Amino acid sequence: MAASPRILLVDDEPDLLDLMELTLVKMGLETDRAVSVAEAQARLRQTHYDLCLTDMRLTDGEGLDVIACASALALPVPVAVITAYGNAGNAVAALKAGAFDYLAKPVALDQLRTLVKSALAIPKSAQADDPTRELIGQSSVMQDIRARIAKLARTQAPVHIAGESGSGKELAARLIHRLGSRSGKPFVAVNCGAIPETLMESEFFGYRKGAFTGADADRDGFFQAANGGTLFLDEVADLPLSMQVKLLRVLQEKKVRKVGATAEEPIDVRIVSATHQDLSALVETGRFRQDLYYRLNVIDLVMPSLRDRAKDIPEMARFLLDKLGGADVKLDRDAEQALCAYAFPGNVRELENTLERALALCEGRHINAADLNLTPPTLSATAPGSKYPLQDYLDQMERTAILEALEQTRYNKTAAARLLGVTFRSLRYRLERLGIE
């Protein structure tokens, strides 16, 4: 008979320890207690735990110290933190440090049970075949992306995925969901730019019968549909400011109110967002709320453009040809070279369209460069001074400006950001996107 999962409870309030222990024992779990950082660290090193619940403020340190110890073990232990009510800063700091999730005081027992069930489901999902193989490519940047996705799947922290259109942001979001503890629950993808502003509240939160003309029955919104799972907010930068305020409240309170309802209902949803725009730049111009930005961008993931990993293009092309029904079709060497030299402003989506067209036009079972129908100006790397493709030209200008600023400030990134007139976070995002070390 398998042993029951064991939970370590870390807090210096005996009453809270008693309450949590009683709740977990009723769930058939075993518990141990610690009242300080030092005692918690000693127990973590001596005994294997399936989960650790720790207060953020302890007599001899912080919950962050417990997280660091649990993460450094040969078999890392997921850690959830307990924060003071309304202290969002502590929760964000804990999630960035690698915490699985957080609870606010006073601890709601239903939320505690939900969190524990999610945490204990992680090992089961980790035993499945590695879905990150769907991210094609052996370049170092893609290996880093796969490793980061696997790590992000082990937490409940909100993730923001940045990257150009067609770079695979939704695929990354789906993999984070499938590898995590919510894999058995719904994954709901929403294109925020495709919903009329007048319908946003009812689409996201649902509505009650009679709430407005045409509301002839109760209806759930995206949050209710994704309850227990993941809500993917694609092109989140397109949300109007009025909707950003309402979304922020839902993320803070973990409750939604349907249009026409008088009471709120609790929801348990992990948020993954994405956009091809620079959110930090939108915050600076007042087009995106700073408080919502920090809620969504607890952990970021930057998906590389196809031109930034050109060595992966032949493997990606082979995968896409098989997907399109061309398993026995070969790419000639000149076709591979043309693909690798092309800028692909539309990234993987454009590559797939190019290959689908070539598959229809080619004669026999070979695709040559002519079949690809790539325009001559983009068959080779952008010539110095050329303004086409536009994205390449803009990237060159941005790269030059950043490198000059770094040289002037002796590679002091804070000073360089000030010189460029952007925030440090915005500069860091640009450095990652452009591949500048």
Side-chain angles (χ1 to χ4, degrees), residues 389-408:
L390 179 60
Q391 188 60 53
D392 282 6
Y393 174 70
L394 294 175
D395 284 350
Q396 285 183 9
M397 298 293 289
E398 188 174 6
R399 181 188 296 272
T400 300
I402 289 174
L403 289 174
E404 287 178 356
L406 288 170
E407 288 177 5
Q408 288 184 38

Side-chain angles (χ1 to χ4, degrees), residues 352-367:
E352 183 171 2
N353 291 340
T354 299
L355 292 172
E356 187 171 15
R357 182 178 62 239
L359 201 57
L361 296 175
C362 72
E363 295 182 6
R365 312 312 295 169
H366 288 268
I367 293 177

Side-chain angles (χ1 to χ4, degrees), residues 298-319:
V298 172
I299 306 176
D300 60 352
L301 176 69
V302 180
M303 295 299 292
S305 63
L306 199 54
R307 63 182 171 276
D308 289 335
R309 54 185 188 101
K311 64 183 293 185
D312 292 332
I313 290 178
E315 183 183 353
M316 176 66 73
R318 181 70 268 154
F319 171 81

Side-chain angles (χ1 to χ4, degrees), residues 45-156:
R45 295 187 183 107
Q46 294 167 2
T47 307
H48 171 70
Y49 292 98
D50 298 282
L51 174 67
C52 174
L53 291 169
T54 179
D55 194 1
M56 273 295 283
R57 299 291 183 186
L58 296 161
T59 54
D60 61 340
E62 295 188 339
L64 298 178
D65 301 319
V66 179
I67 296 172
C69 177
S71 300
L73 297 171
L75 288 174
V77 176
V79 179
V81 298
I82 302 168
T83 66
Y85 177 77
N87 197 332
N90 273 349
V92 170
L95 292 171
K96 283 183 177 290
F100 171 78
D101 204 348
Y102 70 93
L103 290 170
K105 290 182 178 179
V107 175
L109 297 184
D110 57 341
Q111 292 183 4
L112 172 63
R113 285 188 284 265
T114 298
L115 183 150
V116 170
K117 288 176 183 177
S118 295
L120 297 182
I122 287 180
K124 299 175 185 176
S125 62
Q127 292 170 3
D129 291 338
D130 183 6
T132 60
R133 293 176 182 173
E134 295 177 22
L135 288 168
I136 306 299
Q138 299 306 314
S139 60
S140 59
V141 65
M142 289 310 295
Q143 292 180 32
D144 290 344
I145 289 291
R146 283 193 287 268
R148 187 163 175 80
I149 284 175
K151 185 175 181 180
L152 294 179
R154 295 196 295 267
T155 81
Q156 295 297 297

Side-chain angles (χ1 to χ4, degrees), residues 259-273:
V259 177
T262 57
E264 294 181 322
E265 55 186 277
I267 48 97
D268 171 32
V269 169
R270 183 182 190 180
I271 298 293
V272 178
S273 60

Side-chain angles (χ1 to χ4, degrees), residues 16-313:
L16 181 56
L17 282 174
D18 289 342
L19 179 64
M20 291 194 296
E21 187 172 53
L22 182 61
T23 302
L24 298 181
V25 167
K26 286 182 177 179
M27 294 173 65
L29 307 173
E30 297 183 8
T31 63
D32 286 332
R33 297 183 176 203
V35 296
S36 66
V37 170
E39 185 181 358
Q41 291 174 334
R43 285 188 173 276
L44 284 167
R45 295 187 183 107
Q46 294 167 2
T47 307
H48 171 70
Y49 292 98
D50 298 282
L51 174 67
C52 174
L53 291 169
T54 179
D55 194 1
M56 273 295 283
R57 299 291 183 186
L58 296 161
T59 54
D60 61 340
E62 295 188 339
L64 298 178
D65 301 319
V66 179
I67 296 172
C69 177
S71 300
L73 297 171
L75 288 174
V77 176
V79 179
V81 298
I82 302 168
T83 66
Y85 177 77
N87 197 332
N90 273 349
V92 170
L95 292 171
K96 283 183 177 290
F100 171 78
D101 204 348
Y102 70 93
L103 290 170
K105 290 182 178 179
V107 175
L109 297 184
D110 57 341
Q111 292 183 4
L112 172 63
R113 285 188 284 265
T114 298
L115 183 150
V116 170
K117 288 176 183 177
S118 295
L120 297 182
I122 287 180
K124 299 175 185 176
S125 62
Q127 292 170 3
D129 291 338
D130 183 6
T132 60
R133 293 176 182 173
E134 295 177 22
L135 288 168
I136 306 299
Q138 299 306 314
S139 60
S140 59
V141 65
M142 289 310 295
Q143 292 180 32
D144 290 344
I145 289 291
R146 283 193 287 268
R148 187 163 175 80
I149 284 175
K151 185 175 181 180
L152 294 179
R154 295 196 295 267
T155 81
Q156 295 297 297
V159 176
H160 179 67
I161 306 174
E164 297 176 8
S165 295
S167 58
K169 298 187 292 296
E170 183 169 345
L171 174 57
R174 289 183 181 277
L175 290 175
I176 291 171
H177 172 76
R178 284 171 56 189
L179 284 167
S181 60
R182 297 174 180 264
S183 58
K185 298 294 183 178
F187 176 92
V188 177
V190 179
N191 187 332
C192 298
I195 305 172
E197 185 172 351
T198 54
L199 298 179
M200 276 195 169
E201 188 172 0
S202 59
E203 289 293 311
F204 274 89
F205 308 139
Y207 54 79
R208 291 292 189 192
K209 179 180 179 180
F212 49 82
T213 303
D216 52 4
D218 288 358
R219 179 182 169 185
D220 287 341
F222 297 133
F223 273 93
Q224 291 92 344
N227 198 30
T230 301
L231 181 60
F232 175 53
L233 302 177
D234 197 10
E235 298 304 340
V236 70
D238 291 337
L239 285 174
L241 288 170
S242 58
M243 189 62 195
Q244 292 177 29
V245 176
K246 295 168 183 173
L247 179 60
L248 177 64
R249 174 174 172 77
V250 171
L251 298 184
Q252 289 175 336
E253 303 297 329
K254 297 185 178 180
K255 295 179 181 179
V256 297
R257 178 186 285 119
K258 289 184 175 181
V259 177
T262 57
E264 294 181 322
E265 55 186 277
I267 48 97
D268 171 32
V269 169
R270 183 182 190 180
I271 298 293
V272 178
S273 60
T275 182
H276 71 282
Q277 302 183 58
D278 184 348
L279 269 191
S280 60
L282 296 180
V283 169
E284 292 174 5
T285 59
R287 292 170 55 198
F288 201 85
R289 291 182 62 96
Q290 186 178 54
D291 44 10
L292 179 58
Y293 170 76
Y294 287 123
R295 275 285 179 180
L296 295 175
N297 196 39
V298 172
I299 306 176
D300 60 352
L301 176 69
V302 180
M303 295 299 292
S305 63
L306 199 54
R307 63 182 171 276
D308 289 335
R309 54 185 188 101
K311 64 183 293 185
D312 292 332
I313 290 178

